[in-house]
């Protein structure tokens, strides 16, 4: 459970940082939040790797969730377009993460028959 919490924090920090970059267009002080958010996200990601979570899982979920949340929130906050193609792209990204995650699961060991 702790690993999922840390991953959630990393995702929220990255999304906050990315959205802050957009906000920095109008007010440069938002860049400070962007730098802090990215730094915190990378600290959280490195902690997950130290806890033994495979990098393909960590990065895949982090990046995909960041893309999805950033697109949705930017549409709501900044009025950026959210088209059918963006939605389709998000679906493809999610499908890709699911495939990567299921590919990391270790197969069950083959049973060996005892020699008689």
């Amino acid at each position: 459970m702790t690993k999922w919490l840390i991953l959630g924090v990393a995702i929220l920090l990255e999304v906050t940082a990315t959205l802050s970059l957009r906000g920095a267009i109008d007010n440069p002080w938002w860049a400070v939040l962007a730098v802090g958010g990215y730094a915190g996200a990378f600290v959280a990601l490195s902690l997950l790797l130290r806890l033994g979570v495979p990098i393909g899982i960590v990065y895949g979920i982090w990046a995909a969730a960041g893309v999805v949340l950033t697109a949705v929130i930017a549409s709501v906050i900044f009025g950026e377009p959210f088209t059918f193609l963006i939605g389709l792209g998000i679906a493809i990204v999610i499908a890709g993460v699911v495939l990567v995650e299921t590919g990391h699961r270790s197969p069950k060991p083959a049973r060996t028959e005892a020699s008689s």
Side-chain angles (χ1 to χ4, degrees):
M1 184 63 172
T2 301
K3 293 175 185 177
W4 288 108
L5 179 62
I6 295 169
L7 182 56
V9 168
I11 291 166
L12 290 176
L13 286 169
E14 188 266 337
V15 169
T16 300
T18 303
L19 293 170
S20 296
L21 286 176
R22 173 60 172 81
I25 292 171
D26 299 325
N27 184 347
W29 286 104
W30 282 97
V32 174
L33 184 57
V35 170
Y38 284 128
F42 286 123
V43 167
L45 292 174
S46 66
L47 179 58
L48 284 167
L49 295 176
R50 287 183 188 188
L51 292 173
V53 182
I55 194 166
I57 301 295
V58 168
Y59 184 73
I61 294 173
W62 177 71
V67 167
V68 170
L69 289 172
T70 300
V72 170
I73 295 171
S75 177
V76 171
I77 292 177
F78 300 116
E80 294 189 359
F82 193 91
T83 64
F84 171 77
L85 286 178
I86 292 173
L88 179 62
I90 287 172
I92 291 170
V93 166
I94 291 170
V97 169
V98 169
L99 291 173
V100 168
E101 184 175 348
T102 57
H104 269 82
R105 292 195 180 140
S106 55
K108 293 182 181 179
R111 293 185 66 189
T112 57
E113 298 287 326
S115 310
S116 38

